[in-house]
Amino acid sequence: SSGINAEWPLRPGVKIIESKESVTKISKKVVDKDILVPLTSSMYVPGKLASNSHVLIDVGTGYHIKMSTKDADGYFDRITEYITKKMEIVQKNLIEKDKLREVTSEILQLKIQAQQSQSQQAQQQPVSS
């Protein structure tokens, strides 16, 4: 049985957690400090921190919103809460579907056993003319 673990960890995506941590870190940095700006996961360019009180947040589908670091922190808290609630619903559904799959599998096994038993009994009975 594959089984769905009821203790499966419910955590929002790493990207959201890292973004929230970055907002906290950037609010403590000194303006005009030299920083490395990531272009990809493995390529950076040098830059200077223009502001430690506002950030641009990627809210999806190519849209970015300028927010204060306090508002950004709240945004990531809300997104984390939303995703966690949705993941809890999905987990409950997966557990129910897994139980249903197990019951269906057991019923199928019982039917197969019954059919095999009937087939064996039919083969054992003499044919009368």
Side-chain angles (χ1 to χ4, degrees):
S1 159
S2 66
I4 302 297
N5 185 353
E7 300 302 317
W8 182 49
L10 296 175
R11 293 175 286 181
V14 172
K15 183 179 175 183
I16 294 170
I17 293 169
E18 288 176 347
S19 296
K20 181 174 171 47
E21 289 171 355
S22 294
V23 167
T24 303
K25 288 177 187 176
I26 204 165
S27 65
K28 297 174 184 173
K29 299 253 183 199
V30 178
V31 176
D32 285 333
K33 180 180 178 174
D34 289 333
I35 59 171
L36 291 175
V37 180
L39 294 179
T40 69
S41 61
S42 60
M43 185 175 16
Y44 299 82
V45 294
K48 288 198 179 285
L49 183 61
S51 170
N52 64 355
S53 61
H54 286 83
V55 292
L56 276 176
I57 303 295
D58 179 356
V59 293
T61 61
Y63 289 95
H64 296 79
I65 298 176
K66 185 175 182 178
M67 294 183 190
S68 70
T69 52
K70 181 180 177 185
D71 289 344
D73 196 50
Y75 169 78
F76 288 119
D77 286 340
R78 289 188 304 277
I79 290 295
T80 300
E81 183 179 332
Y82 174 80
I83 290 173
T84 301
K85 285 180 181 177
K86 291 298 181 185
M87 288 172 68
E88 287 170 355
I89 291 168
V90 167
Q91 181 186 23
K92 287 176 188 174
N93 288 340
L94 283 173
I95 290 169
E96 288 175 19
K97 298 233 185 256
D98 191 54
K99 287 178 184 176
L100 203 60
R101 182 196 54 79
E102 286 180 16
V103 168
T104 303
S105 180
E106 289 173 11
I107 291 171
L108 197 56
Q109 286 295 332
L110 290 173
K111 287 185 177 188
I112 290 170
Q113 288 173 357
Q115 188 176 22
Q116 286 174 343
S117 177
Q118 284 177 349
S119 176
Q120 287 175 351
Q121 287 176 356
Q123 289 176 356
Q124 290 176 354
Q125 290 179 352
V127 177
S128 55
S129 322

